[in-house]
Amino acid sequence: MINEMHDIAKNVQAQQVDASSAITPSYKEHLPPLCPPSDASPPARQKVWRFTDNNPVIAHDFLSYRALKRQVLPGTDACRASSCSVFTAPCELSKLPKLREKFVAELNIDEKSGLAKKKRKHIDLWMFTSFDPVANTSKVFEKSDLKR
């Protein structure tokens, strides 16, 4: 009888661990409290574009400004600074002359990529640990190849 109760307790504990891991996803980067924000949601299957330093891309190309310890725009909170910044249209990147020496990566994302918050043609993407942005990059090209 005691062994049965012990087995039941172990099963309940295992179920609680499984349930808690299903509720709390694991993210690629350490995120600040309350991040991603409550209005972030799984992205639809789509192509997005991101500036990169490398061609071919490497994992480092998809780190957030916060992980890279780069200065962010005034008014950018720690949560947004912890996201991977991508765009829904490649032509939006051509409007950023400050980043003229960069490459542009075309990235395929979906609901398994992470949580996202879209604002106009920009998306903050908080990637799940299980998502590999390098493997989901379909092509990389020079910024000069973008059409205005």
Side-chain angles (χ1 to χ4, degrees), residues 106-136:
E106 183 179 272
L107 180 65
N108 299 300
I109 63 171
D110 61 20
E111 69 282 349
K112 295 177 184 170
S113 306
L115 291 182
K117 184 172 179 180
K118 184 177 179 183
K119 185 175 181 181
R120 292 185 286 277
K121 295 186 180 193
H122 179 266
I123 296 174
D124 289 313
L125 178 64
W126 295 275
M127 293 183 281
F128 292 145
T129 304
S130 58
F131 179 69
D132 182 356
V134 175
N136 284 282

Side-chain angles (χ1 to χ4, degrees), residues 27 31-42 77 79-80 115-118 126:
Y27 294 95
L31 301 178
L34 304 175
C35 187
S38 60
D39 57 348
S41 59
D77 63 37
C79 185
R80 283 198 70 204
L115 291 182
K117 184 172 179 180
K118 184 177 179 183
W126 295 275

